[in-house]
Amino acid sequence: MSTAVESFGMGEALPNGHGSQLNGSAQTNGSQQNGSCAPSERSLWDAQFLPPPLVLEDRARALKVQSRLSGLVLCGATLMRVGETFARELERGLRQLPSSLQMENTYVPELPDGTEEGVFLALDLGGTNFRVLLLELASGQLVREKVKQYHVSDSLRLGPGEDLFNFLADCVQDFLQCENLEHQHLSLGFTFSFPMRQHSISSGELLTWTKSFCCGGMRHVDVAALLQRCLDARGLRVTVQVLLNDTTGTLVAGAQRDPDVGIGVILGTGSNGCYVERAARVQHWETAHERVRDVVVDVEWGAFGDNGCLRFLRTDFDRAVDDGSLLAASFTFEKYIGGKYLGDLLRVVLSALARDQLFPAAPADLTSAHLSMFEEENCRGEWRRTASALQGACGGAHVTRSDALVAQHVARVISNRAAQLVSVCVAWLLRRMGRPRVAIAVDGSVFKRHPRIQMLMHKYIALLAPHHPFTLLEAEDGSGKGSALTAAIAARVAARDAKHTRAAQPTPPSRPAGPSLQH
């Protein structure tokens, strides 16, 4: 699904002046530390970013809840400040200066052009399920696909890294045996969805684990080389051709459908973005790049703010989520927008309201699926499923309609902030690229399943990047299909470079003719 949106608005800078408030009593965070906008300064443009107010029969309770949540409500001026901070961090990262944005060179120099051919393996590691895929491409189109899924146990995700990679190689061997391909030479695209320092299109070292992984012994290990050793040890004729993450794969797979794709976004368990940058702006190169015009840059925006540059956004609720996470004091931005953390944030906020006697009891456990369900019911003007889920999560406490509406409002505020923050990053990439039109390929469970996120992203990107037409394109299996397409691109580029090298070699001088054999 794709929807074209022509951005329009008040110009590239935050408009001045005052305007009427939208949704009257909605409030922004009150302290200067959180970058708030006082109501007297709010313009009409500013107010378009605010969620609607909570409406209860008990108006005093509604106002108290809104006041308690004010730190999570961001106005336009605060989002402009986030965008300006993002632009500074982005530029510093590209220049290899200290930054919370990694701005990693992926060494992917071009996108699909319809000539991709061949049979490729693809591996997709990024969550508790690991996939092995066999994909056949003809004229850039996927004509055959086989997929097998394997579960990655807790002991593998938290144990020695060598054990994990031996398991991956065992899975590849099992897959090839099932397909009667164990003796065939195959190129492989490895989608490894964790922060890396790439040295080439086929090599890169792990920087840190994220999500639910924390394997030991992997610091500064080249993950492609380690996988290759494990495959070789099993006698498999498989070559790791490319190493990429799911975000790059999403961009590549999207570009196969729409040649205007220039940005890839993951909005699921975690979040990240990548985009097509001019090669001359990228300083980190470890391979020859004289003929490279553009290159895909992996932003790694999950860690945006880890250096404290977004301290003005952080609330007590965010600190509580961070303290309870596997990787505390890191991946600051991802904890505002990633599906892994949205449910935790919902639980933390409702628990705080319970302590303030504004909610019946602290819920024991809530997930992002609960948040999406609360939002879905809110969209339909319903509340009974929300109340039932809350009663279970709160140990059987009695949950009224008003209590359910409070929880739905909290879910809406959290969702609104998540949509705003990911939209800021996309909007500033659109501004930077300056193209007549950019399609944005997006993948991830939050983008696909949350009932409001897509609509909110359309709205906020258009407000933040006026006069920059864009399309949001729902991606199709970037981590699988994108991996195979990238392997095909790498093969095409390598063949072309080899041809140029041969053409550049001097022609050896012709040898003088030998003596005639005729008498």
Side-chain angles (χ1 to χ4, degrees):
M1 180 190 74
S2 65
T3 308
V5 174
E6 175 128 5
S7 305
F8 63 96
M10 308 287 289
E12 290 285 288
L14 176 68
N16 295 319
H18 305 281
S20 61
Q21 293 182 27
L22 190 69
N23 299 322
S25 60
Q27 298 178 26
T28 56
N29 40 11
S31 67
Q32 192 63 36
Q33 176 187 356
N34 285 329
S36 65
C37 308
S40 61
E41 300 172 348
R42 191 179 305 144
S43 67
L44 178 60
W45 179 87
D46 241 349
Q48 293 180 75
F49 293 95
L50 305 181
L54 172 62
V55 178
L56 299 175
E57 290 180 6
D58 185 346
R59 183 158 161 52
R61 181 189 182 190
L63 291 174
K64 288 177 182 177
V65 170
Q66 289 188 153
S67 177
R68 191 70 177 88
L69 301 184
S70 61
L72 296 170
V73 178
L74 308 180
C75 66
T78 299
L79 296 173
M80 293 293 288
R81 182 178 174 187
V82 174
E84 290 159 1
T85 305
F86 180 75
R88 286 194 299 271
E89 292 287 291
L90 184 152
E91 194 62 46
R92 289 181 64 83
L94 281 178
R95 295 180 181 180
Q96 297 187 277
L97 297 171
S99 171
S100 62
L101 296 178
Q102 189 179 326
M103 303 305 296
E104 190 60 40
N105 185 348
T106 68
Y107 295 91
V108 176
E110 54 193 63
L111 298 176
D113 63 5
T115 66
E116 296 76 28
E117 303 271 348
V119 177
F120 301 90
L121 277 177
L123 307 189
D124 176 21
L125 178 68
T128 54
N129 290 317
F130 165 67
R131 295 189 305 157
V132 183
L133 306 91
L134 181 74
L135 303 109
E136 182 176 355
L137 300 170
S139 300
Q141 300 296 317
L142 182 63
V143 296
R144 181 166 64 105
E145 180 179 20
K146 294 285 184 73
V147 184
K148 190 168 182 179
Q149 205 157 213
Y150 301 85
H151 179 70
V152 185
S153 67
D154 289 349
S155 60
L156 286 169
R157 286 184 287 110
L158 301 174
E162 289 271 355
D163 292 353
L164 174 64
F165 277 74
N166 277 309
F167 168 75
L168 302 184
D170 286 340
C171 293
V172 174
Q173 185 171 37
D174 172 74
F175 179 86
L176 293 177
Q177 287 172 346
C178 291
E179 298 294 327
N180 296 315
L181 293 171
E182 56 191 309
H183 302 300
Q184 185 170 330
H185 290 276
L186 291 166
S187 292
L188 180 148
F190 184 20
T191 301
F192 184 75
S193 299
F194 303 93
M196 295 179 286
R197 182 67 164 175
Q198 290 208 223
H199 304 298
S200 70
I201 199 170
S202 61
S203 67
E205 61 186 79
L206 173 70
L207 292 180
T208 182
W209 292 106
T210 59
K211 294 168 269 195
S212 59
F213 284 74
C214 196
C215 296
M218 293 293 293
R219 185 174 175 80
H220 301 309
V221 170
D222 186 329
V223 293
L226 176 57
L227 176 63
Q228 188 68 66
R229 287 199 301 273
C230 294
L231 295 170
D232 293 345
R234 287 154 180 78
L236 301 176
R237 300 179 177 185
V238 175
T239 302
V240 181
Q241 182 96 25
V242 297
L243 175 67
L244 69 163
N245 66 19
D246 54 352
T247 317
T248 303
T250 293
L251 190 156
V252 172
Q256 188 263 339
R257 292 175 56 199
D258 184 339
D260 285 337
V261 165
I263 298 173
V265 174
I266 296 293
L267 188 56
T269 303
S271 185
N272 188 23
C274 66
Y275 72 107
V276 177
E277 178 62 276
R278 293 207 298 269
R281 288 174 163 177
V282 179
Q283 292 199 4
H284 175 225
W285 289 94
E286 298 182 32
T287 62
H289 58 282
E290 291 78 13
R291 289 192 296 272
V292 178
R293 187 184 68 178
D294 297 316
V295 68
V296 177
V297 171
D298 174 24
V299 179
E300 288 294 343
W301 68 41
F304 180 29
D306 279 6
N307 59 1
C309 65
L310 292 181
R311 196 173 291 114
F312 61 92
L313 287 180
R314 200 168 172 84
T315 67
D316 291 342
F317 306 130
D318 298 312
R319 276 185 278 274
V321 170
D322 184 47
D323 290 344
S325 66
L326 181 63
L327 299 164
S330 62
F331 294 92
T332 301
F333 200 67
E334 187 164 278
K335 289 169 184 170
Y336 298 148
I337 59 181
K340 178 176 174 58
Y341 304 102
L342 294 179
D344 286 340
L345 186 55
L346 178 62
R347 175 187 56 79
V348 164
V349 175
L350 291 178
S351 297
L353 293 178
R355 289 193 297 273
D356 294 344
Q357 298 185 338
L358 295 169
F359 196 72
D365 183 44
L366 290 173
T367 66
S368 60
H370 287 106
L371 180 137
S372 290
M373 186 267 283
F374 294 177
E375 281 276 73
E376 185 180 344
E377 275 221 305
N378 191 322
C379 290
R380 297 200 302 258
E382 299 174 0
W383 60 274
R384 295 187 186 279
R385 286 176 61 210
T386 301
S388 177
L390 288 168
Q391 188 167 346
C394 294
H398 179 60
V399 178
T400 67
R401 175 180 178 274
S402 291
D403 298 331
L405 293 180
V406 167
Q408 288 180 351
H409 181 73
V410 172
R412 185 159 193 176
V413 168
I414 290 170
S415 301
N416 195 68
R417 186 180 71 157
Q420 288 174 329
L421 292 175
V422 73
S423 297
V424 168
C425 296
V426 172
W428 255 258
L429 292 179
L430 288 173
R431 289 173 169 223
R432 180 177 182 85
M433 295 172 75
R435 294 184 179 184
R437 173 183 174 269
V438 177
I440 303 150
V442 192
D443 200 357
S445 56
V446 173
F447 182 78
K448 291 181 176 180
R449 297 174 191 166
H450 190 289
R452 293 191 209 269
I453 286 290
Q454 295 190 33
M455 177 271 294
L456 291 172
M457 286 178 63
H458 278 123
K459 174 183 176 181
Y460 294 143
I461 294 169
L463 285 168
L464 291 164
H467 313 301
H468 293 274
F470 67 91
T471 301
L472 290 180
L473 179 72
E474 190 172 302
E476 297 176 354
D477 191 19
S479 54
K481 184 179 178 182
S483 180
L485 283 165
T486 306
I489 290 168
R492 181 178 71 219
V493 171
R496 188 172 64 227
D497 287 349
K499 182 178 179 181
H500 283 144
T501 300
R502 289 194 300 271
Q505 291 176 344
T507 304
S510 57
R511 300 175 62 182
S516 173
L517 296 178
Q518 296 180 351
H519 295 284

